[in-house]
Amino acid sequence: VSIVEPTLTITQSASTNFQRPPGQVDAGDIVTYTITISNGTAASDFDAFDISFSDIVPSELVPLSIVSVIPSGGATGSRADFALVGNTLTTIPGANIDIPKGGSVTLIVTSLVSNNAANVASFTNTAEVRWTSLNGPDSTPQALERSGTDGLLNGGSLNDYRQQSALTLFVVSGGNISH
C-alpha cells in the first residue's frame, strides 16, 4: 500500500525600497513581502485542495496592500480570493483555491514600516496555510476530512495539514540589537 498525500510548504522573503542589508528595515521603508505556497513534486505528493491562508501582519506595518496573487503550475486562486481586514490577510469565505502537485500560489504584499517600529528591535511576520486532500466546493473542510486542525505538518498529530512560515525583520534604528 502506498500512501500519497499533499505536502505544502510556505516560504517568505522581504525586500525594501532602500539599500539595506537583507532582513533590515527602518521607519518609512516600504516593505514588499513575497509569500509562496508550494506543493511538492515527490512521488508521495498529491494535489492539495481547499487552501486556506491566514497572516496576522505585525502592527509595525501599515497600511497593507495586496499587489498580486500569482498561481502557477495549474494552481487556482486570484486577488479576489484574499481579503485584508485591519492587519490580517486571509482567504475569503468561499474561496476555492487548489494547488496540484508541483504547483504554487505566490502572494505579493506591500506595506509601510510605521514610526512605531523605532520602539522595537525586530518584528516577525508569521503566515499560515491549511489544506485538505479531498476536493470540496470551497475552503470549508468536509466532515471527517483532514484539515490541519490538530497541529503542524509532521508535528505528531494525524490531522496535520498545516504549515507556518515566520520571517523576522530587524529595525536598524529601533531598540538595542545585541550580537
Side-chain angles (χ1 to χ4, degrees), residues 106-122:
T106 300
L107 293 91
I108 300 175
V109 181
T110 61
S111 186
L112 180 71
V113 179
S114 73
N115 289 334
N116 293 339
N119 299 321
V120 298
S122 65

Side-chain angles (χ1 to χ4, degrees), residues 5-166:
E5 57 185 355
T7 306
L8 296 184
T9 59
I10 183 169
T11 58
Q12 300 185 67
S13 63
S15 60
T16 68
N17 58 323
F18 292 101
Q19 300 295 326
R20 299 196 195 290
Q24 293 186 2
V25 296
D26 195 6
D29 288 358
I30 295 173
V31 177
T32 300
Y33 279 98
T34 301
I35 303 166
T36 302
I37 305 164
S38 302
N39 197 343
T41 59
S44 61
D45 287 321
F46 193 71
D47 297 349
F49 301 102
D50 308 334
I51 309 304
S52 67
F53 175 84
S54 179
D55 186 348
I56 301 172
V57 179
S59 61
E60 291 81 10
L61 298 170
V62 292
L64 200 60
S65 175
I66 302 172
V67 175
S68 62
V69 175
I70 307 163
S72 66
T76 60
S78 70
R79 168 65 183 88
D81 291 315
F82 295 87
L84 288 168
V85 178
N87 265 36
T88 301
L89 171 62
T90 185
T91 45
I92 63 167
N96 189 14
I97 303 170
D98 300 329
I99 304 178
K101 178 178 177 174
S104 66
V105 174
T106 300
L107 293 91
I108 300 175
V109 181
T110 61
S111 186
L112 180 71
V113 179
S114 73
N115 289 334
N116 293 339
N119 299 321
V120 298
S122 65
F123 52 87
T124 301
N125 185 60
T126 302
E128 179 178 279
V129 64
R130 294 180 186 216
W131 63 95
T132 69
S133 59
L134 300 174
N135 197 8
D138 58 35
S139 60
T140 304
Q142 300 173 42
L144 303 176
E145 182 177 19
R146 290 174 65 187
S147 61
T149 302
D150 294 342
L152 295 173
L153 188 66
N154 299 321
S157 61
L158 179 62
N159 190 354
D160 65 352
Y161 286 175
R162 180 175 15 153
Q163 286 276 42
Q164 291 181 338
S165 172

